[in-house]
Amino acid sequence: MEDHTATGITARPAPVLREYVSSYVGFDLRGLPTGVHCGPPGRALTAVISLSDPLEVAAGVDDGSPVTPFGSVAGGLMCRSVAIHHDGRQHGVQVSLTPLGARAVYGMPSAELAHRLVPLDELLGALAVELADRLRAATTWAERFAVLDELLLRAVGRGACGDRARRVRPEVAEAWRRLVAARGCVQVGAVAAELGWSRRYLTERFRGEVGLSPKTLARVLRFEHAHELAAARDPLPWGEVATVSGYADQAHLVRDWREFTGRSPTAWRRGEVLLGAG
C-alpha cells in the first residue's frame, strides 16, 4: 500500500495565450520522503506559485547555492537544474512560458531572466499578488486555471497598451521553432544559412533575445528529451535513452547529465524522490 498521495493536472491556456504560455500544471504531492527535487533545464521559462508553504529553491544542485524561500518564483532559461528542497509536501501551480511569452507577459526579453530566479511580484507587481491570493482561494483546479487565464490575459493586454517593443525578430522566432522541432538535433550553421544570416549574427541576436546561444539551447533541448525518457514510469536503459535523444554514446549523455543536474544519471535516479509520483 502506498503511503503517499499525488495529483498532477495539466491544462492548456486559453487559445489567445498559447503563443506565450505553453502549459499549466497543478500539483499536490503529499507524504513523500523529504528530499531535493532537481528542476531540470528545458525550453520553458517556468513560474511557480505555491499554494501552501513557501518554496525553498536554490539556483543549483549540490553546489553550495543559497536556498531562498519564495511564495511565487519566476525563472528564465537555465543551463543547470534548480534545487527544490521539500519535506515531502508540495502544493502549487506551475506556468510554462515560451521565450516569446517573456515580452508579452513580463514586458522584457527572456534574456533578462536567463540563469535567474526572481520573485514573481518583481515582474508583475500587484497582479502577481492578486494572482497568488486568488489561486489560493480557489477550491478546484478548473477554477485556478481560469484565474491564470484571466490574469495572464490582463498582463498581456497591459503590455500591449504600453510603448515597449513587444515583438521578437521573426528570424529569431523561426530559429527557435526549428531548434525545438528538432529537439536540438540540428546544425546551427544550417539554420543560420536558411535564414540568410551568418552563424555569428544569428548567435548574437538569438542570445540577446533568449539568453542562451543556439548551440547551448540545442544541448539543453537534447538533454530535455533524455530527461523525459529517463523520468518515464518505465524508463529505457540509459544506453537507449542516449541513442533516442541524439547523443553520440552513453558517455556523452553522462557528461551532459552531470553538467545539467549536478549528479550522475544513477545518483539522480536514486535521489529523485518525486519520480513516478505524478
Side-chain angles (χ1 to χ4, degrees):
M1 181 176 177
E2 292 188 347
D3 61 357
H4 71 259
T5 60
T7 301
I9 305 292
T10 300
R12 297 194 73 193
V16 71
L17 283 170
R18 290 177 191 169
E19 181 182 1
Y20 312 121
V21 183
S22 54
S23 69
Y24 304 142
V25 177
F27 55 90
D28 189 358
L29 309 173
R30 313 180 194 194
L32 295 160
T34 297
V36 179
H37 169 55
C38 293
R43 73 187 68 183
L45 284 75
T46 302
V48 181
I49 302 95
S50 176
L51 300 178
S52 55
D53 295 333
L55 298 156
E56 301 281 341
V57 185
V61 177
D62 300 337
D63 66 353
S65 295
V67 180
T68 304
F70 292 97
S72 57
V73 60
L77 294 182
M78 303 283 186
C79 287
R80 58 180 176 165
S81 296
V82 299
I84 303 164
H85 296 251
H86 62 87
D87 60 2
R89 171 87 166 94
Q90 286 195 312
H91 188 205
V93 178
Q94 176 177 300
V95 179
S96 294
L97 276 69
T98 69
L100 304 181
R103 283 187 182 271
V105 177
Y106 298 146
M108 63 180 66
S110 64
E112 292 189 25
L113 289 170
H115 317 296
R116 296 176 61 210
L117 298 170
V118 299
L120 189 60
D121 56 10
E122 281 191 15
L123 303 177
L124 295 179
L127 194 147
V129 177
E130 180 185 349
L131 177 62
D133 287 346
R134 290 180 60 184
L135 288 173
R136 290 166 188 155
T139 57
T140 68
W141 291 118
E143 289 176 44
R144 294 183 183 114
F145 297 144
V147 168
L148 285 167
D149 276 349
E150 178 189 338
L151 269 69
L152 291 175
L153 281 166
R154 197 190 306 168
V156 171
R158 180 175 66 181
C161 295
D163 59 359
R164 293 173 293 196
R166 316 291 297 189
R167 304 305 302 174
V168 178
R169 283 284 298 264
E171 294 89 348
V172 171
E174 178 62 13
W176 169 269
R177 189 194 68 75
R178 294 186 186 204
L179 285 162
V180 168
R183 307 205 76 158
C185 295
V186 65
Q187 294 297 318
V188 174
V191 173
E194 289 168 7
L195 296 173
W197 284 1
S198 70
R199 176 173 178 148
R200 180 176 178 180
Y201 189 71
L202 172 61
T203 296
E204 290 173 353
R205 290 286 180 169
F206 195 93
R207 185 188 288 117
E209 179 65 39
V210 172
L212 305 181
S213 72
K215 182 178 180 180
T216 300
L217 176 67
R219 292 183 62 221
V220 167
L221 290 167
R222 187 172 52 196
F223 165 78
E224 179 186 53
H225 190 191
H227 186 276
E228 288 173 6
L229 295 170
R233 286 189 180 275
D234 297 305
L236 298 170
W238 287 111
E240 290 184 42
V241 169
T243 299
V244 172
S245 52
Y247 285 91
D249 51 36
Q250 187 171 334
H252 188 193
L253 167 65
V254 170
R255 287 195 300 274
D256 268 17
W257 203 280
R258 285 185 180 277
E259 179 176 339
F260 289 133
T261 72
R263 297 173 174 173
S264 71
T266 304
W268 166 83
R269 189 183 296 286
R270 188 170 58 243
E272 184 54 85
V273 299
L274 298 186
L275 276 180

